[in-house]
Amino acid sequence: MLRTLHHYAHAVETRLFLLYELSLLRRDGIRLEKDYYRKILKNPSNAEDWIHFVRFLQPSDDVLLLDLGANVGKFTADFLSIYRKGRAVLFEPVQSTFDGLTRRFVNDDRVQTHHCAISDFDGVAQINVEEESSLSSIATFTEEANRHFLTKTPKTEETPCRTLDSFDFPRTASKVFVKIDVQGLEIEVIRGGMKTLKMADMVMLECSFAEEWANKEPSFSPCCAMLRECGLYPVIFQDFGRALSNYAFERDVIFVRRELLENIWFENYGRKS
C-alpha cells in the first residue's frame, strides 16, 4: 500500500515540478515546442532532459553536441529540434546500430557520425551486443543490476576504440555540450577526454552510485573528481527508476561550468548565459 502511494505521489510531484519549470521558462521567453505540456504529462522522463538543459543552454545558442553512445539517435534528433543552430558529432560502437544511425541522419549536414567506442585507448575492444541496443556494453552488469535490466547472454563483436581527445573538435560553436552514456565506461571516457571536456559548457553523465558493473567501482565519485579538473560541477541529479530500491544505483547527472551555476537562482531565470 505504502509503495503504491509513494509511486503515485512521486509521479505527480515529478510532473508538477516540470510543469512549473516550463511555465517559468515560458515567462522568461525561453520557448520549447507547444506540445511540451502534453509530453510532460504523458512521459516526463523524456521531457525532463530538455527542461533542465535550456536553463543553462538556451535554444537560441549555437551548440555543438558530442553524443557518446548515440544509440539510434533519438537524443540527437530531439537536440536538433530544439537547438536549431546546433550541430552534432555522434559516436556509436555497435555496427548494426551505427548503420541505422547513419541512415537516420544521412541527409542532415548538421550531423557527423563515427563508428567506434570511446574509451581511454586507441585500438579494438570486444562489445556485448544486447537485444535492447541501449544496454550493449564492453562491461558486464553485476547480478544485482541485472535483476533490473534482465539481459540475456549476448552475442559479441569487435569494435574500434578511440579516445575522445584523439579527435579534433575546433571550437567554432559558442557552446559545447557532451552527453556521456557509455554503459560502464564513463571513467575511461573522461580519462581519455580531459582536453576535450575542458572545452565543454555542459555534460550529461550517466553514472553509477552502487556496484552496477562487474569488477568496476561506482563511477560517480571518480568521474566527479576528474570533471572538477575540467572546471565542471554537478548541478542536477535527474530522476531514476525505483524498481530495485528507493535509492539510485545509476542516474543521469548534469554538470556545468562554474559560471553557469548561478542560473539555478530564481532571480537569474531567463538571464542570457
Side-chain angles (χ1 to χ4, degrees):
M1 177 67 173
L2 281 176
R3 184 171 184 172
T4 301
L5 287 173
H6 175 253
H7 169 78
Y8 284 108
H10 173 257
V12 170
E13 194 276 337
T14 298
R15 287 166 172 81
L16 287 175
F17 169 79
L18 292 174
L19 288 169
Y20 180 41
E21 275 291 291
L22 182 60
S23 71
L24 293 173
L25 291 171
R26 287 181 179 275
R27 180 201 68 185
D28 294 328
I30 301 173
R31 300 290 176 183
L32 294 175
E33 300 164 15
K34 290 182 178 179
D35 65 346
Y36 249 76
Y37 287 108
R38 181 180 59 81
K39 287 184 177 181
I40 288 171
L41 293 172
K42 186 176 180 180
N43 195 341
S45 63
N46 285 344
E48 74 166 336
D49 283 346
W50 310 105
I51 298 291
H52 292 156
F53 296 161
V54 297
R55 181 59 60 207
F56 304 98
L57 302 179
Q58 296 188 11
S60 58
D61 288 335
D62 174 18
V63 182
L64 171 65
L65 167 66
L66 306 181
D67 190 346
L68 317 185
N71 196 244
V72 297
K74 183 182 184 307
F75 184 92
T76 293
D78 288 345
F79 165 81
L80 292 172
S81 73
I82 293 171
Y83 294 93
R84 300 302 176 91
K85 298 177 184 177
R87 293 178 296 112
V89 183
L90 279 54
F91 302 88
E92 172 53 44
V94 177
Q95 183 66 63
S96 59
T97 308
F98 176 77
D99 291 343
L101 188 68
T102 53
R103 287 193 297 271
R104 181 171 193 165
F105 295 108
V106 66
N107 295 318
D108 195 332
D109 59 9
R110 297 174 296 171
V111 177
Q112 181 184 119
T113 58
H114 295 277
H115 173 227
C116 63
I118 300 298
S119 187
D120 57 357
F121 70 98
D122 294 336
V124 176
Q126 194 97 330
I127 189 167
N128 301 310
V129 181
E130 300 285 353
E131 287 184 14
E132 170 51 59
S133 59
S134 64
L135 299 179
S136 296
S137 177
I138 292 171
T140 304
F141 286 118
T142 61
E143 290 184 11
E144 290 83 358
N146 206 38
R147 291 190 196 121
H148 173 66
F149 295 112
L150 300 176
T151 60
K152 300 175 182 178
T153 302
K155 64 178 182 178
T156 61
E157 66 183 37
E158 287 191 341
T159 187
C161 253
R162 296 275 301 274
T163 66
L164 191 59
D165 284 348
S166 68
F167 292 86
D168 182 25
F169 302 109
R171 183 65 188 262
T172 55
S174 62
K175 303 287 184 182
V176 175
F177 169 33
V178 183
K179 168 184 162 272
I180 304 174
D181 184 358
V182 290
Q183 297 296 293
L185 289 192
E186 46 271 15
I187 294 174
E188 291 87 342
V189 164
I190 295 171
R191 186 185 297 133
M194 298 286 281
K195 180 180 74 174
T196 304
L197 288 164
K198 287 176 181 176
M199 299 192 308
D201 298 279
M202 183 167 71
V203 170
M204 185 175 78
L205 172 73
E206 184 184 76
C207 54
S208 57
F209 292 79
E211 301 289 342
E212 181 180 6
W213 299 97
N215 304 313
K216 296 177 75 68
E217 66 174 314
S219 62
F220 173 70
S221 291
C223 287
C224 213
M226 288 189 287
L227 289 174
R228 169 64 183 81
E229 290 184 39
C230 299
L232 294 159
Y233 295 78
V235 67
I236 296 176
F237 292 75
Q238 293 194 289
D239 203 10
F240 60 93
R242 290 166 171 77
L244 298 181
S245 172
N246 283 332
Y247 303 96
F249 66 90
E250 73 164 16
R251 70 195 302 177
D252 291 336
V253 181
I254 297 172
F255 293 74
V256 298
R257 303 213 72 77
R258 187 172 181 177
E259 58 270 23
L260 293 178
L261 292 172
E262 65 184 16
N263 288 24
I264 68 167
W265 306 116
F266 279 131
E267 66 182 22
N268 292 330
Y269 271 28
R271 182 169 144 185
K272 182 65 179 169
S273 302

